[in-house]
Amino acid sequence: MTEKTATRVPTQLSGLADPLGEALHYLRMRSVFYCHSELTAPWGAHLPPMPDCLMFHLITEGSCWLDARSDESEGEGGRWLLPGDFALVPHGQGHELRSAPDVPAPNLFDLPRESVSEHYEILRTGGGGEATRIICGAVQFDHPAARHLVSVLPPVIRITAGALQPGGWLPGLLQLMADEARQMRAGGEAVITRLADIVVIQAIRHWVQHDQTAQTGWLGALKDPRLGRAMALMHQDPARGWTVAALAQAAAMSRSAFAQRFTERVGTPVLEYLTQWRMYLAQAWLHQGQGVSEVAARVGYQSDAAFSRAYRRALGTTPGAARRGRPLEGPPTAAQACGTASPVRPGISGIPNAASARGL
């Protein structure tokens, strides 16, 4: 591959101060579906896997048992959610909500639901006992930086009402969502869906800032004042012919110290990480329908042949095949999302996964 030579840090990028904030900036979502559930004990619902979706649950009244069987951090993956608690299931794995741990949980899509719009539903079910109200949703992130950030999140994030500072943004947003769900005034659907987008981003930000597992691996490297600066430069200008020396200069470190520290923290040598990031971006752009030559230039390759060789080495297929197999544009409906995977995956070979993000 022939690349442009990087001899100095570009002036327009020299003022970057918050690489993690830059990554959070890309958390822009498109809705798959939202559901306002009005439940009376005993009740249960199994949410089937929704690949490439982040699912969330806000308890506005009552309580429920969340059972995420792939999460072994708390016994068999179960935990109680109480009023004001907010839970994220970032990787789309199947999980169950119940009024009690031993209650049967039929498939959510087999339960009677009232369709308010293409992407918003109301579920009313249960045995007539204690009431629980939950706002549930599934969203997708389109930008590669956002997909990568989501890929390093743990299987379940639970933010309890007691863990939030009174008067902060997140408690206020959660309260607004709860109020809209209770009253369901005209336009309530639009308000809830827009608030949900903000709440998910704020919840991820809260976890990144407060959870110890977010201090290591890829996220920890982004927070590192020196490594984070170099990573932000690669993310913002992937077409530039970055060298280890140029990135070390941007990080105000010696070449050898920078290379060693990057590999230790991120888990991948710096130029290998750069190539992986380029292929990650290229995959997303090809699935969006951009031409091979355009994508090759956008990720720093001066010939389609060199780009195709690198793409095949990284992903095991050709750019042309990836572009021809791109998914249909537009967000899927709830039924389409259930069990339907997008070809774009956050776990590209070599890109840090949830285990490496936790320093494992």
Side-chain angles (χ1 to χ4, degrees):
M1 178 185 76
T2 302
E3 294 181 330
K4 296 169 280 186
T5 301
T7 57
R8 61 185 178 84
V9 179
T11 302
Q12 67 269 27
L13 295 176
S14 60
L16 287 174
D18 184 12
L20 180 59
E22 190 77 17
L24 289 169
H25 171 73
Y26 293 116
L27 287 174
R28 295 170 184 158
M29 299 171 288
R30 57 188 173 107
S31 303
V32 175
F33 84 101
Y34 296 96
C35 181
H36 174 215
S37 300
E38 300 176 357
L39 311 160
T40 56
W43 60 269
H46 170 73
L47 284 80
M50 293 186 180
D52 296 328
C53 287
L54 178 150
M55 291 183 269
F56 69 84
H57 309 288
L58 168 62
I59 312 304
T60 63
E61 180 182 336
S63 62
C64 81
W65 179 259
L66 168 64
D67 187 358
R69 297 185 186 278
S70 63
D71 177 21
E72 300 178 355
S73 61
E74 296 186 21
E76 295 183 355
R79 75 278 317 273
W80 282 104
L81 300 178
L82 304 176
D85 287 359
F86 189 78
L88 296 176
V89 184
H91 310 303
Q93 70 264 31
H95 57 285
E96 296 171 349
L97 301 175
R98 314 167 189 260
S99 57
D102 58 349
V103 173
N107 191 299
L108 170 67
F109 295 102
D110 292 335
L111 295 172
R113 304 181 315 281
E114 175 187 344
S115 178
V116 179
S117 69
E118 185 179 7
H119 300 290
Y120 190 86
E121 300 171 340
I122 297 177
L123 168 65
R124 295 183 178 94
T125 189
E130 182 180 358
T132 296
R133 293 175 182 264
I134 309 175
I135 300 174
C136 302
V139 297
Q140 290 181 328
F141 297 93
D142 291 326
H143 194 281
R147 286 176 176 268
H148 186 44
L149 175 58
V150 171
S151 77
V152 302
L153 298 177
V156 176
I157 294 175
R158 179 182 60 171
I159 300 177
T160 65
L164 301 174
Q165 294 181 351
W169 277 41
L170 190 50
L173 291 171
L174 293 174
Q175 186 60 52
L176 280 174
M177 284 184 65
D179 291 344
E180 286 293 336
R182 278 194 296 267
Q183 300 177 37
M184 285 308 293
R185 296 169 294 185
E189 173 207 345
V191 173
I192 289 175
T193 55
R194 283 162 176 76
L195 285 174
D197 291 349
I198 302 172
V199 165
V200 168
I201 295 171
Q202 291 286 2
I204 293 175
R205 175 185 293 172
H206 181 275
W207 179 84
V208 168
Q209 292 174 340
H210 295 91
D211 197 286
Q212 287 301 313
T213 58
Q215 313 309 312
T216 57
W218 183 77
L219 284 172
L222 279 177
K223 293 181 178 181
D224 185 297
R226 296 185 177 186
L227 296 184
R229 175 177 173 74
M231 294 170 73
L233 290 169
M234 288 186 280
H235 295 170
Q236 284 208 343
D237 192 6
R240 190 173 179 84
W242 293 110
T243 65
V244 176
L247 292 167
Q249 178 188 3
M253 300 175 67
S254 70
R255 185 185 185 282
S256 59
F258 169 74
Q260 180 179 351
R261 186 168 176 176
F262 191 97
T263 301
E264 289 175 350
R265 295 295 301 274
V266 179
T268 306
V270 60
L271 293 185
E272 183 178 336
Y273 175 85
L274 174 60
T275 298
Q276 292 163 354
W277 184 258
R278 286 168 170 165
M279 295 304 104
Y280 193 46
L281 293 170
Q283 185 186 43
W285 289 331
L286 288 166
H287 281 295
Q288 292 171 6
Q290 297 184 28
V292 173
S293 296
E294 178 186 0
V295 172
R298 291 187 69 179
V299 294
Y301 290 80
Q302 295 183 352
S303 75
D304 292 359
F307 169 62
S308 296
R309 287 194 296 271
Y311 193 91
R312 181 185 286 274
R313 282 196 301 270
L315 301 180
T317 187
T318 65
R323 186 174 184 274
R324 289 191 297 272
R326 69 183 187 273
L328 296 175
E329 296 183 0
T333 63
Q336 292 170 331
C338 178
T340 303
S342 164
V344 182
R345 291 284 187 177
I348 233 181
S349 176
I351 292 287
N353 56 20
S356 61
R358 296 193 295 271
L360 302 178

